[in-house]
């Protein structure tokens, strides 16, 4: 018996999956603020010591990016779309293309030695991509964190409050922002965004 | 009525846009660019309100935030009502409807005025305290009367149609005030590339430069204002916020700015998507306070009669709005600035009767200019009494000696309709004082300036600097330094040339003496809004109030929406003179946020109605809704409470759901339970230290109930933890405790036992949990799973992994109902699929969804506690009779162990968990009911415990309860009593808290 119980939690495609926003309707609007849900991605929480060489090597070889050790940073694999985000000194969020989370976890487990943990959290959160000229305004209305480009350059990611919920805010590239929201708060976040985005002619695709 | 006081030219109004508005039911016209105040003055409306206590007629005194009298109730419709708007700060718009907040039946003829006249002499300070204190029971009646009479405005009775919101902002430099100082500072900082926010409470930025006689670069100062604003507007990192009041300055340079976005356009926002007002939450690296100064009026007899104004306000109305608020002006001043009003008045073509200057021999440039214009100047003198009742008809003038507080020389009566007074300037130090810093008195400027606040620089008039050339130079330096401090290179600003004005020094005069003693003279108002007089302050000091804070509360000086903007310094100066001490010895009262009133909507922002608090939903929420569930709030979660069928009452539904679980099979959405994934080679050791019971021997795929104590030995959480692998556990917590328990684990790990190799990750939202419970649970589940459910293979308190409805799942055989139970856990995205697959067999097995209420009944029948309902932070595991769940001989001291050996936790008469069985089986005890042993004892009775959970059980056929009872474990079989509020007494028998299946046969089938 393995010391840690890991199993593929995804059924075959014949089972209908429901994202946390499944019960909500898309909103048609303009292009100045466009929010799109990217559901069913693989989300893993990796915990371990930053000076564990095997951990760094494993992330490099499995994900193809350097493990971000600088606080509040994000490493992206442009080819695969996978990303690794620093969450705390011993904690990273891995977001992977849909369906890869089990294989990635297995591969990482094989390559990492010493004390670490990997936990699948994909059912508990979803990712929203935000584009358009009014993203700054939407975020400024919603969270206390300074999202000005001088404080929030591309490659940054923070865990902060979003209205009265928690969220991870990330900036993978010049054009896009990402919000990672918790499943149980996603209805609230949707309604908050729909409300705050009304003056910007929000488009919200779920 | 036509605009009798409007000049034919000049001002920043647009004469091509005539606006119609209504004040107290009468229609008037004004122009775009007017404030409500300037439009009223243009129309010759002299009386705008009645005073708070004496109901005396009052007119407009000032032109800005310091206006004490023109307090309006705005709104053409009920829903749009807004109280306490200063007419001086309200832009005019077409259709504006305003009423005076005081005055009944109207401001011209006021019933209260008569009472004020009769009662006035008796209504001294402390009148309300003295008159309405006793009996205390009458206060509510008194208050209604006082409020009606005082009329502080009213809130709308209908729902506000408007939206308000918040906006978080960050900047390097926040500049508060866009007068000469603020504009220059913002320009200096802005040119460096720093992020700058410049806010100003007025409709138009420019402040004093919009009505000054000074020229910049040899031209009208407003031209320079336009140039600077145009340049600032081109800077991408500069944000200009007009109509935005900095209402509060909090610790660490956090400022709250209230921006009025549509208040100048209409009653309610013209476009439904527009936000009416917005609260900017600004975190600034540096703050430059350029809030300017308020002119101080002089305190003389009848100085509240309409027609008494501030000198600066007179100039503002003439130069900015082209409105001359009277025909014949007398100026009474202690400084050169007062002369400007007379010069502006004369240039507007109306008569200046005289300038009365308290200084014996003023020689400034303004004085010379006035002389040259042939204006009569009476030196060494002051107006000591205004004549008239509804409008000034004259000014009584006398020589005055401020040092001895006496009148000297000859007296003269001057006929006039307007008296403008200037007693100098009071820097607007309010914001600097919000952080707790006391303002500092400066004799040379006869005023308080801001004390030192970290990261805040005061420039211009607020810093006691009044000469324009110095203001500009100081502000440029402050803007530059703020940018430097924020890490920016400075670009520099070229300052406009200012024509140097020679000024003679002002003189300190606050209250003008009268020929009669203060107590007998006509009222000399210090605080117009609160009707506080010089005599009132004198009486207060005579009655022994020496601290200015006490004088303030006794007299109401600086109360209300006014917050002492006009009256505070005069009041303090008068108190200081009476107490024979200096002004700094007397000190100031405390200024608190908000600087001016803010509508509640802006404070709430969008955090209202359905966005007030997050509602957390499980993956199955949509199904519950469709099934008609009633919901219960558990923390922020919405959990199904019960699922009524047809017209069922809650009682009926719960009885049906209970029976279904006991007889067939029910299903509960338990996804809200906190779930923490724990990995690491020391996971088992760690769990053993945070739970009271033993974990060393728990095998893989086995589950165990755990009880968690705080270090004080009191139960804080419970739940089942499963060993998934030697280094892998899944802990469940109570729904409400999930986040706190994760933090608790991290706290102990990071601070006490960092050597343990263990990591925690929240998986509450990741796993959806469906609890299938009842004798038919096995049969139903076996229809859709590949897991071997046979009772000897998959035993009670074990876990299996397999497929359920084609979805990979972990199934835990644990039970909170006492029945055969399988908790099915799947990745939440697939929960709905599994749930529906189970319901495909609904009719075959009688599958019944049940909610939290049924869960409560079922668990209580089994004597299972709910932490937070049956415990309250003062209950130990032993109090709960759960010694079986305490590992007394565990090798490592687990959290709470030591506390359980304290004498107090060993007391035998502690409150202990018991069951209560009402003698009358139909009775359901009230939760929270207090327990007594002898119902005949006299009140106050000795209360020995209380009911924590109480339900009617369809299985038992009677009501039953759990209770905490002193020494309860030794009272089995005794009778206890619950006296109710209606006088009845309910009798119950103390029994074991386990009412059903004490041997656990049903869950082990």
């Amino acid at each position: 018996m393995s010391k840690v119980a890991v199993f593929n939690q995804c059924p075959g495609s014949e089972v209908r999956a429901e994202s946390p926003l499944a019960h909500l309707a898309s909103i048609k609007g303009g292009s100045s603020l466009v929010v799109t849900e990217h559901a069913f991605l693989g989300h893993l929480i990796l915990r371990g010591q930053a000076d564990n060489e095997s951990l760094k090597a494993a992330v490099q070889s499995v994900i193809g990016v350097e493990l971000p050790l600088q606080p509040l940073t994000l490493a992206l694999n442009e080819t695969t779309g996978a990303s690794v985000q620093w969450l705390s000194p011993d904690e990273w969020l891995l977001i992977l293309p849909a369906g890869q989370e089990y294989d990635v976890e297995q591969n990482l487990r094989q390559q990492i030695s010493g004390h670490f943990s990997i936990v699948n959290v994909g059912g508990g959160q979803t990712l929203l991509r935000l584009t358009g000229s009014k993203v700054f305004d939407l975020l400024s209305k919603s969270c206390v964190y300074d999202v000005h480009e001088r404080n929030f350059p591309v490659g940054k990611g923070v865990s902060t409050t979003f209205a009265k919920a928690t969220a991870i805010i990330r900036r993978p590239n010049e054009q896009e922002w990402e919000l990672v929201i918790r499943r149980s708060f996603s209805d609230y976040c949707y309604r908050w965004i729909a409300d705050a985005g009304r003056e910007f002619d929000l488009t919200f695709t779920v | 009525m036509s605009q009798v006081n409007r000049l034919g030219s000049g001002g920043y109004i647009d004469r091509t846009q005539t606006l119609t508005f209504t004040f107290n039911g009468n229609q008037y016209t004004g122009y775009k660019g007017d404030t409500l105040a300037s439009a009223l003055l243009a129309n010759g409306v002299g009386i705008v309100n009645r005073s708070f206590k004496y109901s005396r007629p009052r007119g407009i005194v000032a032109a800005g935030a310091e206006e004490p009298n023109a307090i309006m109730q705005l709104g053409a419709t009920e829903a749009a009502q807004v109280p306490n708007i200063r007419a001086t700060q309200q832009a005019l718009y077409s259709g504006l409807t305003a009423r005076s907040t005081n005055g009944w039946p109207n401001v011209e003829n006021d019933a209260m005025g008569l009472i004020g006249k009769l009662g006035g002499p008796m209504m001294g300070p402390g009148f309300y305290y003295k008159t309405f204190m006793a009996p205390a029971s009458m206060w509510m009646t008194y208050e209604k009367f006082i409020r009606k009479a005082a009329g502080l405005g009213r809130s709308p009775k209908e729902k506000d149609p408007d939206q308000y919101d918040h906006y978080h902002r960050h900047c390097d430099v926040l500049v508060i005030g866009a007068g000469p100082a603020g504009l220059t500072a913002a320009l200096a900082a802005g040119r460096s590339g720093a992020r700058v926010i410049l806010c100003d409470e007025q409709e138009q930025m420019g402040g004093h430069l919009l009505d000054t006689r000074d020229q910049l670069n040899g031209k009208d100062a407003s031209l320079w204002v336009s140039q600077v604003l145009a340049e600032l507007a081109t800077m991408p990192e500069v944000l200009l916020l007009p109509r935005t009041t900095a209402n509060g300055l909090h610790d660490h340079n956090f400022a709250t700015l209230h921006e009025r976005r549509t208040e100048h356009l209409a009653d309610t926002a013209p476009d439904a998507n527009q936000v009416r007002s917005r609260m900017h939450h600004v975190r600034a690296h540096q703050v430059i306070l350029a809030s300017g100064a308020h002119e101080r009026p002089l305190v003389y007899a009848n100085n509240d009669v309409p027609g008494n104004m501030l000198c600066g306000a007179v100039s503002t109305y003439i130069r900015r709005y082209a409105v001359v608020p009277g025909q014949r002006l007398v100026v009474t001043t202690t400084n050169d600035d007062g002369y400007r009003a007379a010069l502006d008045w004369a240039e507007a073509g109306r008569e200046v009767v005289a300038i009365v200057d308290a200084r014996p021999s003023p020689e400034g440039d303004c004085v010379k200019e006035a002389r040259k214009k042939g204006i009569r100047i009476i030196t060494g003198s002051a107006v000591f009494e205004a004549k008239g009742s509804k409008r000034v008809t004259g000014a009584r003038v006398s020589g005055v000696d401020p040092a001895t507080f006496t009148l000297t020389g000859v007296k003269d009566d001057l006929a006039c309709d307007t008296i403008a007074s200037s007693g100098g300037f009071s820097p607007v130090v309010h914001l600097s004082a919000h952080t707790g810093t006391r303002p500092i008195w400066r004799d040379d400027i006869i005023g308080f300036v801001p004390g030192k606040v970290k990261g805040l620089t005061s420039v211009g008039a607020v810093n006691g600097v009044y000469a324009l050339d110095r203001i500009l130079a100081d502000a440029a330096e402050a803007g530059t330094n703020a940018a430097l401090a924020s890490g920016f290179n400075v670009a520099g600003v070229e300052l406009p040339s200012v024509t140097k004005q020679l000024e003679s020094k002002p003189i300190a005069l606050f209250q003008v003496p009268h020929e009669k003693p203060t107590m007998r003279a006509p009222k000399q108002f210090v605080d117009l809004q609160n009707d506080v007089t010089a005599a009132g302050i004198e009486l207060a000091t005579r009655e022994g109030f020496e601290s200015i804070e006490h004088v303030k509360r006794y007299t109401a000086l600086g109360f209300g929406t006014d917050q002492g903007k006009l009256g505070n310094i005069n009041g303090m100066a008068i108190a200081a003179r009476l107490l024979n001490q200096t002004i700094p010895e007397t000190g100031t009262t405390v200024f608190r946020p908000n600087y001016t009133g803010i509508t509640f909507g802006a404070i709430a922002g969008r955090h209202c109605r359905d966005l007030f608090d997050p509602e957390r939903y499980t993956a199955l929420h949509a199904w519950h809704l469709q099934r008609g569930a009633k919901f219960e709030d558990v923390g922020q979660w919405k959990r199904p409470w019960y699922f009524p069928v047809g017209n069922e009452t809650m009682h009926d539904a719960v009885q049906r759901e209970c029976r279904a679980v006991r007889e067939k099979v029910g299903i509960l959405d338990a996804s809200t339970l906190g779930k923490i994934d724990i990995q690491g080679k020391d996971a088992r050791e760690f769990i053993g230290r945070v739970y009271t019971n033993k974990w060393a021997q728990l095998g893989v795929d086995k589950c165990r109930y755990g009880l968690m104590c705080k270090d004080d030995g009191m139960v804080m959480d419970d739940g089942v933890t499963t060993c998934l692998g030697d280094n892998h556990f899944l802990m469940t917590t109570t729904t409400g405790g999930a986040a706190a328990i994760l933090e608790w684990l991290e706290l102990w790990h990071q601070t006490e036992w960092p050597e343990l190799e263990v990591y925690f990750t929240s998986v509450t939202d990741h796993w959806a949990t469906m609890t299938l419970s009842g004798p038919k649970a096995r049969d139903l589940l076996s229809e859709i799973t590949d897991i071997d459910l046979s009772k000897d293979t998959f035993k009670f308190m074990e876990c299996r992994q397999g497929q359920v409805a084609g979805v990979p799942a972990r199934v835990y055989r644990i039970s909170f109902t006492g029945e055969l139970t399988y908790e099915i856990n799947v990745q939440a995205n697939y929960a709905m699929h599994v749930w529906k697959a189970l319901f495909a067999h609904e009719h075959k097995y009688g599958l019944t969804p049940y909610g939290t209420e049924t869960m409560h009944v079922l668990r209580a029948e089994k004597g299972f506690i709910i932490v937070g309902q049956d415990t309250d932070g003062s209950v130990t595991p032993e109090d709960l009779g759960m010694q079986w769940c305490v590992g007394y001989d565990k090798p490592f001291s687990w959290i709470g162990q030591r506390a359980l050996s304290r004498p107090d936790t060993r007391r035998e008469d502690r409150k202990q968990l018991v069951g209560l069985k009402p003698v009358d089986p139909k009775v359901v005890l009230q939760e929270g009911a207090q327990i007594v042993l002898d119902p005949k004892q006299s009140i106050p009775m000795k209360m020995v415990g209380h009911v924590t959970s109480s339900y009617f059980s369809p299985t038992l056929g009677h009501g039953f309860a759990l209770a905490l009872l002193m020494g309860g474990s030794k009272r089995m079989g005794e009778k206890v009593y619950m006296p109710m509020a209606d006088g009845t007494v309910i009798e119950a028998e103390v029994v074991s808290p386990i009412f059903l299946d004490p041997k656990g046969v049903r869950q082990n089938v």
Side-chain angles (χ1 to χ4, degrees), chain A residues 72-98:
Chain A
L72 311 182
T73 57
L74 182 67
L76 266 153
N77 183 326
E78 306 268 350
T79 318
T80 63
S83 65
V84 182
Q85 182 186 352
W86 184 99
L87 288 184
S88 78
D90 60 4
E91 189 175 15
W92 293 266
L93 169 64
L94 279 53
I95 298 188
L96 310 161

Side-chain angles (χ1 to χ4, degrees), chain B residues 327-403:
Chain B
Q327 297 295 330
R328 309 182 72 205
L329 175 73
V330 168
V331 166
T332 178
T333 184
T334 64
N335 56 69
D336 279 14
D337 276 281
Y339 285 73
R340 294 166 195 255
L343 293 169
D344 291 335
W345 191 281
E347 279 166 22
R350 297 202 179 168
E351 183 188 351
V352 176
V353 178
I355 298 172
V356 187
D357 192 329
R359 300 170 297 182
S361 46
E363 282 307 326
D365 288 343
C366 284
V367 183
K368 285 178 188 149
E369 198 180 340
R371 275 208 193 98
K372 210 157 74 186
K373 281 202 159 48
I375 296 173
R376 182 184 173 196
I377 299 173
I378 309 169
T379 57
S381 302
V383 171
F384 70 92
E385 182 177 335
K387 301 181 75 167
S389 57
K390 288 186 179 177
R391 178 78 197 192
V392 169
T393 56
R396 300 188 65 200
V397 177
S398 168
V400 63
D401 178 6

Side-chain angles (χ1 to χ4, degrees), chain B residues 703-721:
Chain B
C703 315
R704 181 165 289 171
Y705 174 81
L707 204 52
M708 208 180 283
C709 284
K710 282 204 159 177
D711 30 359
D712 60 5
M714 304 301 158
V715 172
M716 70 179 292
D717 201 72
D718 69 347
V720 170
T721 292

Side-chain angles (χ1 to χ4, degrees), chain B residues 673-736:
Chain B
L673 282 181
K675 296 177 272 299
I676 300 169
D677 185 286
I678 304 175
Q679 295 180 24
K681 76 172 172 55
D682 297 322
R684 186 185 297 276
E685 171 66 19
F686 186 92
I687 291 167
R689 294 183 189 186
V690 295
Y691 273 133
T692 59
N693 49 334
K694 295 182 184 178
W695 295 84
Q697 302 301 322
L698 186 69
V700 173
D701 284 340
K702 305 279 186 199
C703 315
R704 181 165 289 171
Y705 174 81
L707 204 52
M708 208 180 283
C709 284
K710 282 204 159 177
D711 30 359
D712 60 5
M714 304 301 158
V715 172
M716 70 179 292
D717 201 72
D718 69 347
V720 170
T721 292
T722 303
C723 178
L724 297 170
D726 280 336
N727 295 353
H728 192 187
F729 290 77
L730 187 89
M731 176 185 283
T732 61
T733 74
T734 55
T735 294

Side-chain angles (χ1 to χ4, degrees), chain B residues 751-987:
Chain B
T751 63
E752 298 296 325
W753 309 315
E755 71 281 4
L756 294 188
E757 290 194 344
V758 59
Y759 283 125
F760 316 96
T761 304
S762 169
V763 285
T764 300
D765 282 20
H766 175 74
W767 295 107
T769 305
M770 296 158 268
T771 305
L772 202 57
S773 187
K776 302 263 188 214
R778 179 178 288 127
D779 297 343
L780 169 52
L781 183 56
S782 65
E783 296 260 10
I784 58 166
T785 186
D786 61 357
I787 299 170
D788 182 353
L789 300 178
S790 59
K791 69 178 227 183
D792 297 325
T793 317
F794 187 178
K795 292 181 186 145
F796 182 52
M797 296 308 271
E798 288 187 348
C799 163
R800 292 289 181 275
Q801 188 248 306
Q803 302 265 324
V804 176
V807 178
R810 273 205 187 104
V811 178
Y812 302 86
R813 200 182 149 188
I814 56 181
S815 179
F816 199 38
T817 60
E819 298 298 327
L820 171 66
T821 301
Y822 298 96
E823 278 197 7
I824 305 159
N825 281 255
V826 296
Q827 208 261 33
N829 290 342
Y830 309 107
M832 191 65 95
H833 171 84
V834 173
W835 184 272
K836 284 180 176 168
L838 288 164
F839 271 90
H841 305 279
E842 178 179 2
H843 301 296
K844 183 171 174 190
Y845 295 100
L847 177 64
T848 302
Y850 67 97
T852 51
E853 190 64 17
T854 292
M855 176 191 81
H856 277 246
V857 177
L858 299 174
R859 65 89 199 173
E861 289 171 348
K862 288 287 296 174
F864 295 148
I865 59 154
I866 299 258
V867 172
Q869 173 157 346
D870 301 299
T871 72
D872 59 3
S874 71
V875 180
T876 69
E878 292 163 346
D879 295 340
L880 295 169
M882 293 170 78
Q883 285 82 350
W884 55 268
C885 197
V886 178
Y888 292 99
D889 56 352
K890 282 199 283 183
F892 195 91
S893 171
W894 39 274
I895 300 170
Q897 181 180 32
R898 249 190 319 179
L900 293 186
S901 59
R902 289 168 55 225
D904 183 63
T905 50
R906 307 251 40 90
R907 277 190 296 115
E908 294 209 336
D909 63 344
R910 290 182 61 83
K911 287 185 181 174
Q912 293 155 343
L913 187 75
V914 297
L916 290 183
K917 187 179 172 191
V919 172
D920 177 349
K922 293 191 297 296
V923 163
V924 177
L925 296 172
Q926 274 187 22
E927 288 176 354
Q930 294 293 318
I931 302 168
V932 301
L933 296 178
D934 172 12
K936 298 202 166 67
Q937 62 186 306
S938 60
I939 294 171
M941 295 187 182
K942 181 173 166 46
M943 294 178 281
V944 294
H946 64 277
V947 176
T948 58
S949 295
S950 175
Y951 312 94
F952 185 85
S953 164
T955 311
L956 302 170
H958 60 77
F960 72 106
L962 300 178
L964 288 169
L965 177 64
M966 282 170 80
S969 62
K970 294 203 173 135
R971 293 191 188 278
M972 293 299 150
E974 289 183 23
K975 292 278 165 50
V976 293
Y977 302 88
M978 277 126 297
M980 305 309 295
D982 64 2
T984 59
V985 175
I986 301 172
E987 185 181 2

